[in-house]
Amino acid sequence: MSKAIGGYFELELPVAVYPLPQHAIRFQSARAAFHALLNVGQPPRVWMPKYICDAMLAPLHALGIEIIFYDLDQRLGVVESVTLAPQDWLLYVNYFGLCGEQEGQLLKRFNPSQLIMDHSQAFFASPQNCLATIYSPRKFFGLPDGGLLHTDLNVSEPEQLDSESVGRCTHLLQRLDTTAEDGYADFQRAEESLNDTLPRRMSSLSKRLLASIDDETIKHRRNTNFNFLHQRLQRLNGFDVDFTKIDGPLCYPFFIQGHGLRERLIAERIFIAAYWPEVMARVKVNSIEYLMVNNCLPLPCDQRYSTSDLIRMVHLVEGGFSEASVMHDVNGIN
């Protein structure tokens, strides 16, 4: 079909000065990319962390592949008791974009050709030299959908093009035009529409939106915001992870004991995600995963926010609890 000339205008989008890398296989979602990888590799079983969203388990269920759950250690690495059979795969999540060191340890410990690195929370971390690395750019940018896959396996982009991206844009436009609250129901509907993991090729709209993102500027802003929050809140944070090695992190994970701070922040229109309530069905009380679900607040530090926004959030956090309530005992992540 020849290019249309004239008529009404489309939404104008700049081409990024530093565009994102183009060498990736593009899908409608990260879970669809995982589905495609599994379909080609056909592993008999896959080791999955207990601390993961159910959405990433759906492709395994759909393809009838056995799941073996593993525990995390106190530094969010894979516990020492895990051993892989020759045909096993293991998926590891780079949590919050802060677990590059743990990934390096896994690559030394296991055969890299058996490892999948889930970078859904670590968009700016480079693909690892392993079986595959999966990305979910919509967790970092204002996109309706999209997933990226880096792998040496013979995985091809699907012939069928995702045709639902336009319908998933309502919440993006509403938040820009009105309020976050007005678009929340549409956001939930957009998320639900991605439950089908049957792989489809990334839509032309999402591909063009992705090409307009200046990743270097965004990464710098995220790093700056993260460091500001850490400087102000580290004395209160019970999360003992190396926060010096950051590269465009997802959020600032703030670990506290007790409840109520999340609700106080939400009441002040600071919306804190919950990663992931469904995990509670497969973990023990006071396990690392249990504590992460109940006590880790992923404070926003992304490119949308100025220093004044962060100061407002810091003041609310500091006023929400006493230092005596911070976890620094054996039940903390330290």
Side-chain angles (χ1 to χ4, degrees):
M1 183 182 296
S2 60
K3 181 179 180 179
I5 298 176
Y8 62 88
F9 280 86
E10 71 272 23
L11 180 66
E12 292 208 30
L13 298 167
V15 176
V17 177
Y18 303 104
L20 295 166
Q22 301 298 306
H23 52 281
I25 310 168
R26 291 170 168 79
F27 296 87
Q28 82 272 25
S29 67
R31 67 196 77 165
F34 188 33
H35 187 129
L37 181 75
L38 293 166
N39 201 35
V40 170
Q42 292 292 312
R45 61 182 190 175
V46 178
W47 291 75
M48 298 289 287
K50 292 178 180 176
Y51 187 52
I52 195 169
C53 62
D54 281 356
M56 284 299 286
L57 304 180
L60 294 156
H61 293 309
L63 294 170
I65 295 173
E66 182 184 358
I67 300 171
I68 303 178
F69 286 108
Y70 66 82
D71 296 309
L72 298 175
D73 62 26
Q74 291 188 334
R75 295 301 181 93
L76 302 184
V78 179
V79 292
E80 288 296 328
S81 59
V82 172
T83 57
L84 302 184
Q87 301 302 313
D88 289 351
W89 288 4
L90 182 144
L91 181 141
Y92 177 74
V93 178
N94 186 328
Y95 295 102
F96 315 117
L98 301 174
C99 296
E101 182 178 343
Q102 289 87 332
E103 287 188 337
Q105 292 169 352
L106 287 177
L107 291 168
K108 295 176 182 178
R109 178 177 163 190
F110 298 115
N111 182 344
S113 67
Q114 295 178 269
L115 300 179
I116 305 163
M117 300 303 181
D118 184 343
H119 283 192
S120 294
Q121 296 191 351
F123 185 85
F124 294 100
S126 298
Q128 293 284 10
N129 184 21
C130 59
L131 174 65
T133 309
I134 298 172
Y135 294 86
S136 182
R138 79 179 193 282
K139 292 180 174 62
F140 284 77
F141 316 114
L143 302 174
D145 44 56
L148 303 175
L149 174 67
H150 292 260
T151 183
D152 289 332
L153 287 188
N154 188 25
V155 179
S156 302
E157 287 192 348
E159 292 185 7
Q160 183 180 356
L161 185 70
D162 180 30
S163 60
E164 299 181 28
S165 286
V166 171
R168 298 190 190 107
C169 286
T170 306
H171 66 285
L172 301 174
L173 297 172
Q174 281 187 306
R175 180 149 193 175
L176 190 64
D177 187 48
T178 56
T179 69
E181 292 87 345
D182 286 345
Y184 186 64
D186 286 304
F187 165 73
Q188 290 179 306
R189 283 190 285 270
E191 289 292 302
E192 289 172 2
S193 74
L194 293 168
N195 286 343
D196 180 4
T197 66
L198 188 66
R200 294 187 293 277
R201 187 158 35 102
M202 183 185 289
S203 71
S204 299
L205 172 60
S206 295
K207 187 176 179 180
R208 181 62 185 85
L209 289 167
L210 198 55
S212 73
I213 292 169
D214 184 342
D215 68 326
E216 287 298 321
T217 299
I218 290 174
K219 180 169 66 174
H220 175 74
R221 170 54 63 183
R222 284 177 174 266
N223 288 342
T224 299
N225 287 349
F226 184 100
N227 286 329
F228 179 87
L229 289 177
H230 189 51
Q231 181 182 23
R232 295 291 299 266
L233 296 175
Q234 61 179 315
R235 65 189 174 87
L236 302 175
N237 195 348
F239 203 171
D240 184 22
V241 171
D242 186 358
F243 284 174
T244 62
K245 300 175 182 179
I246 60 169
D247 198 17
L250 176 73
C251 61
Y252 179 73
F254 186 71
F255 202 86
I256 64 169
Q257 186 177 30
H259 300 275
L261 182 56
R262 181 191 303 274
E263 290 73 18
R264 285 192 290 273
L265 290 172
I266 291 174
E268 295 294 333
R269 304 187 73 235
I270 297 175
F271 301 116
I272 307 298
Y275 304 127
W276 294 275
E278 60 265 36
V279 168
M280 299 297 287
R282 51 181 173 263
V283 300
K284 297 179 180 179
V285 174
N286 289 329
S287 64
I288 297 300
E289 295 84 358
Y290 177 95
L291 295 172
M292 290 296 295
V293 173
N294 288 281
N295 298 309
C296 184
L297 300 183
L299 300 180
C301 69
D302 61 69
Q303 62 271 15
R304 295 171 290 178
Y305 304 115
S306 64
T307 301
S308 61
D309 294 323
L310 301 181
I311 289 173
R312 172 179 162 236
M313 182 162 56
V314 165
H315 287 165
L316 288 167
V317 170
E318 289 175 332
F321 62 98
S322 67
E323 292 191 37
S325 70
V326 181
M327 277 191 165
H328 287 297
D329 56 31
V330 295
N331 291 323
I333 306 296
N334 53 43

